[in-house]
Amino acid sequence: MSDQYPPQNPDGHQPQGQQPSGQPGQQPSGQPGQQPYGQPGQQPYGQPGQQPYGEPGQQPYAQQPYAQPGQQPYAQQPYQPQQHVPVGPDGVPPLWAPWYGIGFLDAFKRFFAKYARFDGRASRSEFWYWILANAIVTIVLFGGFYAVLIGSLVSSTRVDAYGNPSGDAAPSPIAFVFLGLYGIWWLGTLVPNIALGWRRVHDANLAGPFWLIGIFVNVAAIVFGVLESNPAGARFDRPDLG
């Protein structure tokens, strides 16, 4: 007798209900109606119709920007120092303190109110409004001197029939009035001009003697005038002087 597997019936037929592995008619792993993994009809991970992580339409968490458009990230925001300036009941800072956002007329009056004060600070508006006021007065007085001087000389000169100039060539006394007023103005504002520049460099947290450079170098005076305020310049304030 020969060994056969699986055993056969004497008539040569296979046992009922048993099908050998791999024989025709045997279904692969998985019963009929069951779709094997990855076969048509089953959608595998990442195939069309399923949106994988990070695909268009879905923004992964790691790709989210820190700040939205129009918003500046915290690390890129410039530091804005805060100026703490006391004000009186009328909203005006005391003389020892700088006045940020001062107007033209107030800057003109404050310039003379702090005539020879080298302590404290002066804001950019205090400085440049006074420069504007000083320029206007200088043009009126010094320019008036030249205008009257030239006008009087021209009007007093006559030309005769032979083309020779004649007449009184003496300048008008009014011209010297303008010149005298300009001299008084220049002398009267010399000290407070230095004091204002001194306080201006204090506001940028620089020592006052730096302004001496600006007296002799006009470009340096302009640079000092446009420097931003530095809160550390409060070390030059003297509240005890009022």
Side-chain angles (χ1 to χ4, degrees):
M1 172 183 283
S2 63
D3 295 332
Q4 292 182 354
Y5 182 84
Q8 296 183 358
N9 289 331
D11 57 1
H13 297 287
Q14 293 287 344
Q16 184 178 5
Q18 183 177 5
Q19 195 163 9
S21 173
Q23 296 298 322
Q26 177 185 7
Q27 188 80 18
S29 176
Q31 296 302 320
Q34 178 182 4
Q35 190 91 20
Y37 180 78
Q39 296 299 322
Q42 177 183 7
Q43 190 156 13
Y45 178 78
Q47 295 300 321
Q50 176 183 7
Q51 183 136 9
Y53 181 80
E55 291 297 319
Q58 176 185 8
Q59 190 162 12
Y61 177 81
Q63 298 180 8
Q64 287 271 357
Y66 177 77
Q68 299 299 323
Q71 178 184 5
Q72 194 171 16
Y74 177 78
Q76 299 180 8
Q77 290 180 357
Y79 171 70
Q80 298 291 341
Q82 298 294 327
Q83 296 281 7
H84 300 285
V85 179
V87 295
D90 54 354
V92 176
L95 287 180
W96 62 264
W99 189 342
Y100 298 103
I102 193 174
F104 177 80
L105 293 178
D106 288 325
F108 186 87
K109 294 185 292 184
R110 197 173 182 86
F111 172 82
F112 290 102
K114 302 178 72 169
Y115 191 87
R117 293 196 60 165
F118 290 82
D119 62 280
R121 298 170 285 165
S123 65
R124 284 184 290 188
S125 51
E126 287 182 71
F127 180 83
W128 287 110
Y129 273 136
W130 167 250
I131 295 298
L132 175 61
N134 189 39
I136 293 173
V137 175
T138 300
I139 291 173
V140 170
L141 297 179
F142 203 71
F145 163 72
Y146 276 110
V148 174
L149 178 65
I150 296 174
S152 62
L153 292 177
V154 172
S155 62
S156 62
T157 302
R158 300 289 184 271
V159 179
D160 58 17
Y162 300 99
N164 298 319
S166 61
D168 185 10
S172 172
I174 301 178
F176 294 98
V177 172
F178 277 101
L179 184 61
L181 291 175
Y182 173 74
I184 295 173
W185 173 263
W186 185 85
L187 289 174
T189 58
L190 177 61
V191 173
N193 269 323
I194 299 175
L196 176 64
W198 205 278
R199 298 192 302 270
R200 176 78 270 273
V201 295
H202 280 177
D203 191 48
N205 195 29
L206 297 175
F210 275 97
W211 181 247
L212 298 178
I213 303 174
I215 295 177
F216 301 101
V217 182
N218 293 332
V219 175
I222 296 174
V223 172
F224 290 142
V226 299
L227 288 178
E228 293 186 358
S229 299
N230 189 335
R235 61 193 178 100
F236 299 105
D237 293 344
R238 292 289 304 276
D240 56 306
L241 298 180

